[in-house]
Amino acid sequence: MRRLFVLLCALFLLATAVPAAADTPPDPVPGERPPLGITWATGDPYCVYQWGENAVKAAADQLVSSGLRDAGYEYVMLGDCWQAAQRDADGKLTARAGFPSGIPALVDYVHSRGLKIGFYSGTGATTCSRQAAGSLDREDLDAQTFADWGADYLRYDTCYSVNGDAPARVKKMADALKRTGRPITLEIDDYDREQKPWLWARAAGAQVWRTYKNSTNNFGYSANSLDKQYGLDGYQGPGGWNMPGPFTFSYLDTAERQAKLGLWAVLNAPLVADMALSADTTLPAAEMSNRDIIAVQQDWAGVAGRKVRDTGWTEVWAKPMSDGSAVLVLFNRGELAAPITTSVADAGLPAASGYRVRDLWTGDETVTTGALGGTVGRHAATVLRVWPTNVAAAPRTSLTVDLPDSVPPSQPVTTTVRFTNSGSTPVTGAHLRLTAPAQWQFEGPAEATTGTVEPGATWETAVTLRPVSTATEPFKMPATVTYTTAHGSRTATASAESPLMLTPNPPYSNGLLSTQPWISTENGLGPVERDSVDNGHPFTINGKVETRGGLGAHAPSVVRYYLGGKCKQFTATVGIDDRGPNGTLGFRVLGDGVELEATGNMRHGDAAQRLVVPLTGVQVLALAVDDAGDGSADDWGDWVMPYISC
């Protein structure tokens, strides 16, 4: 009997201990720091994908096996469509058929892996998908259900709020969650709406709120979401965070992933990967687990990151850190590699004899006396953390290559290569090696060597290339400098890139530029459009639909045309399209890189402007739309009747 009694006691203790051990303690203060995790099905607003518990378990397992859990990623979140359209007999939420083991078992599994779990609901009777039950008038019941399951997070959409009652509906759920006694982080998803939750979500009881209505899967939408963050830094801080959007990594290459992670970290944005809907999806742990980047995202010094420099295609973002350092992101959203100029002044750091610089993606550490610029590749970012203290390290250097805005395909081109020592100790034995682009050859040597490059000095040399035949491929010339410092041998690299000046055939005559071939175009979101804007919409300026045709652009934008010095005048009517009700932008006309005419900054609602620009002798005409320095989220611009006289 004694042995039976002991066995029964052991079994009882085991049975009661398992749930307690599996229940990961919730955050004591929801939203104290911006969350890190992954989510499933947020890109599936129509319940197309039949995903279920196996995918969620696989995600939890991968967070553990990849090391991401130990790096700080703790949430596994279920997106829309985890729940059935109908509730059970007691009126409670119930899972779809893809969760045969039941939600409590799934929660226990995720918790047993040392992770937290989140769910999805909405302010309406259904969620955004219209195919899953929402929480309208069931807030207390649903909140208690989530708490009883052991939920740690709730993403809450506002699709079917009406008459501006979203804040009140959100507050009902926030209050209901508080009454359960279980701390549950509440995220507000203003899906495809313009309710500006950053203005009211914190007061309504939420800890995270979306600040961009579209998904941020590809690079263009990610950059547009970044523009939307301009001016929102004051709405976030411990207990409440702006959410520019998650990551859908399958649409981004490595450079784009690193750029997005660095920018989101500087913004203190939640780092949440929106995964493809299959159990075998591989997380890009190499980028996501970068502890230097995570440390930036988790650090709060009282001021959020913000943009400090903007040249159209290149930007600099900066964030102060709590230890007195600062982080700078040198971001190139353009299609070609480009030099970016910045310094410790942009970082807001105090004067010092030297500054320790750490590249957060390569781990390389150098010293600078102030300059921090360099060449950044297309759709890429350099992320630097800078401390106002001098240390024993190699001097920071930069390598840049100057090229014209466009390269003639059948004429020689001369470029200047500059190698700068920004450190406090000399560089010796600098050796330059250039690689000719396809279809080009150097007129002289492709290599050069110099002696000592003193601190603050620049070594420059000019080289000329000649096309072997009429070039047809993009002009890209890699450059490398190897050199020696007191801390060993080092290498600097850069790439010179410029579009070809493709001459039209036959030559230009009088006519609309919207009907003529161009050399090249660059556009902030989507392509430059002929006779329409923003995916085929007609030009509309201040309520008037323009039917005369032209070019539709999204800042920053440049359209280049080859004129060959044969034309006399350019005319156009320009204005902000009604597709961007909050747009602020400016139009510029350039001839051979020189500004010929500019509107200055315009706001939506301003009257359209008429441009008349002389073009005598101009070889290359460029039509540019700038974002007025405040981001380009709503900046759609129309070139109506862009006409040249030749």
Side-chain angles (χ1 to χ4, degrees), residues 450-466:
T450 190
T452 300
V453 182
E454 298 290 349
T458 296
W459 169 44
E460 68 177 54
T461 183
V463 295
T464 299
L465 299 97
R466 186 178 298 278

Side-chain angles (χ1 to χ4, degrees), residues 169-368:
R169 292 195 186 191
V170 168
K171 190 174 188 307
K172 284 185 68 175
M173 176 54 79
D175 291 344
L177 291 173
K178 290 178 184 177
R179 285 192 288 270
T180 69
R182 182 176 179 85
I184 297 175
T185 299
L186 178 61
E187 174 192 327
I188 303 308
D189 180 6
D190 181 25
Y191 183 83
D192 207 23
R193 299 286 292 273
E194 287 290 352
Q195 301 190 79
K196 299 182 179 179
W198 55 89
L199 297 177
W200 52 263
R202 186 193 288 266
Q207 290 80 42
V208 179
W209 42 86
R210 300 271 168 147
T211 54
Y212 185 60
K213 64 182 181 180
N214 296 318
S215 63
T216 59
N217 47 12
N218 63 30
F219 183 80
Y221 277 110
S222 298
N224 210 36
S225 176
L226 177 69
D227 294 334
K228 191 70 173 179
Q229 309 315 305
Y230 187 87
L232 302 186
D233 47 287
Y235 294 101
Q236 64 172 314
W241 306 100
N242 295 329
M243 173 64 152
F247 303 87
T248 305
F249 278 113
S250 57
Y251 292 93
L252 303 175
D253 62 28
T254 298
E256 292 169 341
R257 293 173 185 173
Q258 291 181 347
K260 189 169 181 178
L261 279 165
L263 288 160
W264 262 231
V266 161
L267 292 170
N268 287 112
L271 298 183
V272 179
D274 185 2
M275 300 305 299
L277 300 175
S278 62
D280 59 353
T281 299
T282 300
L283 289 163
E287 289 95 14
M288 291 176 62
S289 63
N290 184 310
R291 293 180 184 270
D292 283 333
I293 296 294
I294 293 171
V296 175
Q297 187 252 9
Q298 292 287 291
D299 184 276
W300 177 256
V303 179
R306 61 187 67 187
K307 183 166 58 176
V308 296
R309 188 180 290 266
D310 186 339
T311 64
W313 293 109
T314 66
E315 301 171 3
V316 177
W317 292 71
K319 176 190 173 183
M321 300 289 282
S322 57
D323 68 347
S325 66
V327 174
L328 285 166
V329 180
L330 285 61
F331 176 47
N332 176 15
R333 67 171 69 212
E335 297 299 323
L336 303 172
I340 298 180
T341 301
T342 187
S343 69
V344 296
D346 283 337
L349 292 172
S353 60
Y355 299 83
R356 172 190 170 199
V357 183
R358 180 175 176 83
D359 186 313
L360 299 192
W361 284 114
T362 67
D364 184 46
E365 294 216 1
T366 54
V367 167
T368 183

Side-chain angles (χ1 to χ4, degrees), residues 6 30 150 179 214 239 259 281 304 318 345 354 357 373 408-409 417 431 450 482 590 630 641:
V6 171
R179 285 192 288 270
N214 296 318
T281 299
V357 183
V417 183
H431 181 79
T450 190
T482 56
L590 301 97
D630 61 355
M641 286 288 288

Side-chain angles (χ1 to χ4, degrees), residues 47-135:
C47 298
V48 172
Y49 301 102
Q50 298 301 311
W51 59 285
E53 64 184 45
N54 289 337
V56 179
K57 289 180 179 179
D61 292 343
Q62 196 175 150
L63 279 182
V64 176
S65 63
S66 66
L68 287 172
R69 180 195 63 183
D70 295 337
Y73 290 82
E74 57 180 351
Y75 287 102
V76 177
M77 306 180 195
L78 284 64
D80 197 358
C81 308
W82 69 268
Q83 70 274 56
Q86 303 299 322
R87 294 169 176 265
D88 67 14
D90 296 323
K92 293 184 178 181
L93 292 170
T94 184
R96 288 176 175 250
F99 299 85
S101 301
I103 294 299
L106 180 62
V107 172
D108 285 347
Y109 184 87
V110 172
H111 283 171
S112 73
R113 306 296 277 152
L115 298 165
K116 297 180 172 65
I117 190 167
F119 293 89
Y120 185 108
S121 188
T123 59
T126 66
T127 59
C128 283
S129 67
R130 292 184 181 270
Q131 300 181 52
S135 295

